[in-house]
Amino acid sequence: MKKVIEHTVLLLFLIPLFFINIKSSHDWGDDFAQYIHQAKNITEGISQNNTGYVYNYDVFLGPQAYPTGFPILLAPIIKHYGFNFMVLNYTMTFFLLIVSLFGFLFLRNHFSFLAAFFTTLIIAYNPIFLNFKTEIVSDLAFTSFLLASIYLIPKNKTIATAILLGLMLAFLAHIRAIGLLVIFVFLIHELFLATPLNEFSFKRHQKTIISLFSFTLLYVILKFAFPCETNYPSFFEFNGLFNRINEHISYNFLALSYFFNIYEPKTQYFIGVIGSAALVTFSTLGYFYEWKKHRFNFINVFVLVYIVFIAMFQFGDTGLRFISPILFFIFYYAIIAIKKGLQPFNLNYKVASVVFGLILLFSYKPAIEKIIENQKITADGPSTDSSYEVFNFIKSLQLTNEVIVFEKPRALALFTNTNSVVLKNDLDEVEIKKQLQKFKSKFVLLNSHFPNEKLSFYLVSDTINNQLVFTNSEYKLFKLK
């Protein structure tokens, strides 16, 4: 009964997430368009690689296709509601709710209700997350499946939970390839670290083997049922590895240090500074303490392996996007260190949880007010009137195999059903001509928010070969002779 009351209270405090920053538009992130296009293709039985995005090896915006897990989750939404960003925002908010619930359950296994409750609210209502949930990307879905899977690991007591765990881990790996780390760490931990090698037996590890079997079965089924070819760079690129690890660790620690420094708070800025400094410092100290006390605990091993892989990955400097899957664990370590640090003061931990929680939540007030004030404003992106105007004009041209050069090719391909490619910004005239010939581009679309001075000068300086066929307040479309 106590757990039911706790969970109900938490849910009541999380319901307002569905009323904050629900937008009917999207910004120019461009990743979202690839996910939506792949989901649309799934509903139509089309290859997920057939999105019109022409991959340019000189400019890595993203892979030719993302892993199929998140598009599968989006497919029913797209099929029934189309490109309805408000509905998609509710979907992302639902994933944030799931992240918060399983994050709370993890923290509640180690701390008091008040500590777990306020930590969950601090993460869920952080203005970074309130804005992040308007982005139609895989991060929150990945984190929800990750935390749900990790929640199941200690409960892997029956054949049913073993099968469910394997299925969850398989789908997790199809949302993001780095999800394969979880099954890897799980097997290493269960087979070699949790029990001595001389006690290894198939009977002892029966549930682990069942999880591995169900993982393999679903992973292979999804691989063949929803094929897509991604071309992510290799994790094991050792050229410049030492410098890359240093840069990525530095960048991600910096991103973490900004977690409470948000949106130019005019009054209580000091709270964010102290809170961010405390989070970085205490989470680091807490991790080392836990590693000393429970060296081969699954969470300790997973967090270590995850951080190492992110540091090694060529594009591992994306800040909160790669930090968010382990954010509840970061707060877990910070709480451990804070409790140790407060022991000499003889403070009541429950009172401290309430006071610290309320202070940090209070520091969000100006940012949340600004978010609510601006949530009905159309985001600068493909949902503006100017964007719809140029998209409709391009569709009226009924292009088939032509390739349009544009800074956001995946969004253009989604909204116009044409092929699109992006060029590097620093090309000279000779290189521009070579690239246009290489991709057989007959159109170039310019947007005033993404200035490309050299390309723009090339187009306007040769009016004989480059004809301006459309213009409005944001766009210029050139047809190349």
Side-chain angles (χ1 to χ4, degrees), residues 142-176:
F142 176 83
T143 305
S144 63
F145 274 83
L146 172 68
L147 293 179
S149 300
I150 290 177
Y151 175 77
L152 283 176
I153 289 176
K155 302 181 181 299
N156 193 14
K157 307 293 185 184
T158 66
I159 292 177
T161 55
I163 293 173
L164 179 60
L165 175 60
L167 298 178
M168 292 283 289
L169 292 176
F171 200 86
L172 176 71
H174 276 288
I175 299 177
R176 274 189 181 175

Side-chain angles (χ1 to χ4, degrees), residues 384-400:
T384 63
D385 292 338
S386 296
S387 296
Y388 280 126
E389 195 177 347
V390 72
F391 294 160
N392 288 331
F393 178 80
I394 291 173
K395 285 191 286 188
S396 72
L397 297 177
Q398 296 183 342
L399 306 177
T400 53

Side-chain angles (χ1 to χ4, degrees), residues 315-336:
F315 301 98
D317 54 349
T318 59
L320 190 65
R321 287 196 63 179
F322 281 167
I323 294 174
S324 58
I326 60 170
L327 193 59
F328 271 94
F329 306 139
I330 290 173
F331 273 85
Y332 159 73
Y333 293 122
I335 295 171
I336 289 173

Side-chain angles (χ1 to χ4, degrees), residues 1 58 63 87 97 101 109 122 148 158 172 177 207 260 268 270 296 307 335 352 369 378 384 393 422 471-472 479:
M1 187 63 181
D58 295 327
V87 173
L97 176 70
L101 287 176
N109 285 336
I122 286 167
T158 66
L172 176 71
K207 307 298 187 304
F260 294 115
Q268 54 267 20
F270 72 97
F296 294 126
I307 291 173
I335 295 171
E369 288 176 344
T378 300
T384 63
F393 178 80
V422 61
T471 183
N472 64 17
K479 184 176 182 180

Side-chain angles (χ1 to χ4, degrees), residues 283-301:
S283 62
T284 304
L285 293 174
Y287 180 78
F288 287 130
Y289 175 82
E290 273 298 285
W291 187 259
K292 181 180 178 181
K293 189 176 180 181
H294 305 111
R295 179 168 300 174
F296 294 126
N297 173 277
F298 173 82
I299 300 299
N300 293 342
V301 177

